[in-house]
Amino acid sequence: MPASGMTPTLGHVYRLDKQLQADRGYKLDDLRERDHAIGQGCTGADDTECLLQWLEVAATEDDGASGGWLNEEHAALMLRLAALFFGLLTMTGFLLASDRALINVFLLLLIFVLLPLLTSVAAAWAMFRSVRGSPPAVFPLNPARFVTRHALPDKRYLKESSSVLRLLLLKYGQEFGALFAVGVMMAFLGLLAFNDFSFVWGSTFGFSDALVARFTSLLASPWSALLSSAMVSPEVIADTRYHAAQFDLSQMSADSRRGWWPFLFMCLAVYALLPRLLLWFASRRAYRKEVRRALLAVPGASGVLARMRAPVVTTRAIDSDHVDVETPTMICEEGAVLLDWAGAMDQASVEIKVQHKLRAGLGSPADDLDSIELINRLQPVQLLVAVKAWEPPMADLADVLAEINGVSRCSLQLVSLAGREMGESSFRDWQKFARQLPFVTTEVVPLGGQ
């Protein structure tokens, strides 16, 4: 099934990890032939689309992550309905429980505007920290945990995909918060249509009418130019001042007692609903980006991509004493430079075709400096560094690469020993080594051995 246009999810990360573990029981030659055939249908696709396409074709069995009726989708739907319902219920209870149908404007703003706005600010801070890689602790009573519990096939993934899970929690949290605000606004309008509520204000603090007028004018500044009717006039503010000992409300006109509701409705829309919608949109984008990164970082995913895009090595027997081996060639983009470290390309079954091929790591330090100076003069668009995958990353290689200037893209080409697939621990070591290199973009690509 084609994966074009498909958006990766957390489930794809788990399915990919499980399928790669299942592939360990197959021969390397069989995997190369299968993955190369799948790669023929991924022409022009990016790495994520290629992996999704590979997963749909190569998957041998259902991963069981969505078994049962209560999966991530159903759990999310239940919480969406619950958030909308509790929004309706909370505003309904607040309005109907008021004494003599008198609604304290300050109390309504505190519960339904200020508190949601503060939680939105906290969510924005948590999202910023999560994207930067230093997330704060997640509140243990977050209802979105109920969804993520059913999005995980195994609890061990809580640690392995923690960055994705944090953004998933934030995404669902903002969605539920927005639906709660929608429920509050629906109940507010619905009850006003059938009940005669009076909006008043009062406080034990000595607030003057002028101070309240300035406060409401400040809150209404986002929409004052477009919706002047959703502002509170000084006359309405003066007319609706209320004291607890005041029993006679006849001096308040009906228009004044209901003159607050357009302003209050806009406060709910602008300060309670709108921030949640913006955060939900931002968290969705951040979550999709993090899922793509996690999908490509699954141990073994780079090997799949390399097998999908590399030509198949074939042998053709001429007679009983002679075998003709066709060596595949990987043609790189124009302007790339290959640095063969410690003779790694002598073991490679793939020939990398570039204009400039340099060697380092076997001669004297002066020879390495000559290669560095040549790379710095060429300023290639991409630097390919062929290394021996079976050896651990060495400090001398890092020292050499640290002297290279003006190169933004670096690709570590991991050459494996003949007939051996590179282990996941070795691949992770090289990934960790690559993250420490001083390049804007660094990728790790496994190559086959002779």
Side-chain angles (χ1 to χ4, degrees):
M1 183 171 61
S4 179
M6 181 184 297
T7 302
T9 64
L10 194 59
H12 288 111
V13 178
Y14 301 143
R15 289 180 57 198
L16 177 62
D17 179 64
K18 185 171 183 178
Q19 183 59 39
L20 289 173
Q21 294 181 29
D23 282 354
R24 296 174 184 173
Y26 294 89
K27 295 181 179 180
L28 181 57
D29 291 340
D30 295 337
L31 294 178
R32 286 174 176 169
E33 183 177 355
R34 179 201 65 184
D35 296 345
H36 176 74
I38 299 175
Q40 299 301 307
C42 294
T43 305
D46 60 17
D47 291 348
T48 302
E49 292 177 345
C50 285
L51 282 179
L52 293 177
Q53 172 72 15
W54 178 87
L55 186 61
E56 295 299 322
V57 178
T60 56
E61 59 182 32
D62 186 11
D63 57 11
S66 59
W69 70 272
L70 190 55
N71 51 27
E72 178 188 357
E73 182 180 354
H74 293 159
L77 178 60
M78 291 172 58
L79 279 184
R80 291 186 185 107
L81 296 176
L84 188 63
F85 172 76
F86 280 113
L88 288 164
L89 185 64
T90 304
M91 177 56 80
T92 300
F94 177 81
L95 293 179
L96 295 182
S98 57
D99 184 31
R100 292 186 294 167
L102 297 177
I103 309 301
N104 191 320
V105 171
F106 288 166
L107 187 59
L108 188 148
L109 290 175
L110 173 64
I111 297 176
F112 296 102
V113 175
L114 180 60
L115 289 181
L117 183 61
L118 291 178
T119 56
S120 296
V121 172
W125 173 75
M127 188 183 307
F128 175 77
R129 291 281 302 272
S130 298
V131 172
R132 292 286 300 271
S134 56
V138 178
F139 186 56
L141 298 180
N142 192 328
R145 284 181 175 270
F146 176 72
V147 179
T148 58
R149 185 182 307 144
H150 298 282
L152 300 172
D154 194 319
K155 289 185 178 180
R156 66 187 176 92
Y157 289 113
L158 283 170
K159 294 183 178 179
E160 297 178 7
S161 300
S162 57
S163 59
V164 183
L165 283 173
R166 291 189 194 98
L167 290 173
L168 183 64
L169 282 169
L170 286 168
K171 180 175 76 75
Y172 278 123
Q174 307 323 302
E175 184 179 1
F176 300 151
L179 288 173
F180 180 87
V182 170
V184 166
M185 296 171 64
M186 291 173 59
F188 184 78
L189 286 181
L191 289 176
L192 283 180
F194 299 100
N195 295 271
D196 189 18
F197 293 104
S198 299
F199 294 97
V200 297
W201 67 276
S203 173
T204 56
F205 299 99
F207 295 147
S208 65
D209 295 352
L211 180 62
V212 176
R214 287 195 296 270
F215 174 69
T216 57
S217 177
L218 178 64
L219 289 180
S221 56
W223 64 84
S224 58
L226 298 177
L227 294 173
S228 58
S229 59
M231 299 181 64
V232 186
S233 65
E235 293 77 14
V236 171
I237 293 175
D239 198 22
T240 55
R241 186 164 190 163
Y242 171 75
H243 301 279
Q246 183 178 351
F247 294 97
D248 185 11
L249 302 178
S250 59
Q251 72 275 14
M252 294 186 187
S253 65
D255 291 339
S256 296
R257 285 183 288 178
R258 294 180 64 88
W260 283 86
W261 80 262
F263 167 79
L264 294 175
F265 182 80
M266 289 302 301
C267 285
L268 293 173
V270 172
Y271 298 110
L273 177 60
L274 183 60
R276 291 294 186 181
L277 292 177
L278 295 177
L279 287 173
W280 176 62
F281 177 75
S283 60
R284 283 187 63 190
R285 294 194 60 181
Y287 169 72
R288 291 178 179 179
K289 182 178 179 180
E290 187 65 19
V291 167
R292 287 177 176 270
R293 187 204 62 79
L295 190 72
L296 297 175
V298 173
S302 296
V304 170
L305 292 172
R307 292 194 297 266
M308 292 176 70
R309 291 166 176 170
V312 177
V313 179
T314 60
T315 61
R316 176 168 50 88
I318 303 299
D319 51 44
S320 59
D321 298 325
H322 177 74
V323 176
D324 183 16
V325 179
E326 298 180 5
T327 302
T329 300
M330 184 176 70
I331 301 177
C332 298
E333 62 181 278
E334 184 178 355
V337 171
L338 171 64
L339 178 63
D340 185 4
W341 181 260
M345 289 304 298
D346 297 339
Q347 304 292 328
S349 62
V350 177
E351 179 185 355
I352 301 178
K353 187 175 181 180
V354 293
Q355 185 177 0
H356 298 280
K357 296 182 180 180
L358 307 176
R359 296 177 68 91
L362 290 177
S364 64
D367 296 334
D368 295 344
L369 289 176
D370 292 339
S371 298
I372 294 173
E373 291 178 1
L374 181 56
I375 294 173
N376 290 335
R377 288 199 304 268
L378 293 174
Q379 297 285 299
V381 296
Q382 182 180 20
L383 175 65
L384 307 177
V385 183
V387 296
K388 298 175 181 178
W390 64 91
E391 295 181 355
M394 304 298 292
D396 53 351
L397 174 59
D399 294 339
V400 168
L401 296 179
E403 298 296 328
I404 297 176
N405 301 315
V407 179
S408 60
R409 295 174 54 193
C410 177
S411 177
L412 296 179
Q413 309 290 314
L414 307 185
V415 180
S416 302
L417 282 174
R420 290 181 55 185
E421 180 80 357
M422 183 179 56
E424 292 184 8
S425 60
S426 299
F427 184 75
R428 283 194 292 267
D429 290 341
W430 282 105
Q431 278 188 319
K432 183 178 179 181
F433 174 80
R435 287 194 291 268
Q436 299 172 355
L437 296 179
F439 300 101
V440 177
T441 303
T442 306
E443 62 177 350
V444 180
V445 179
L447 296 181
Q450 286 182 339

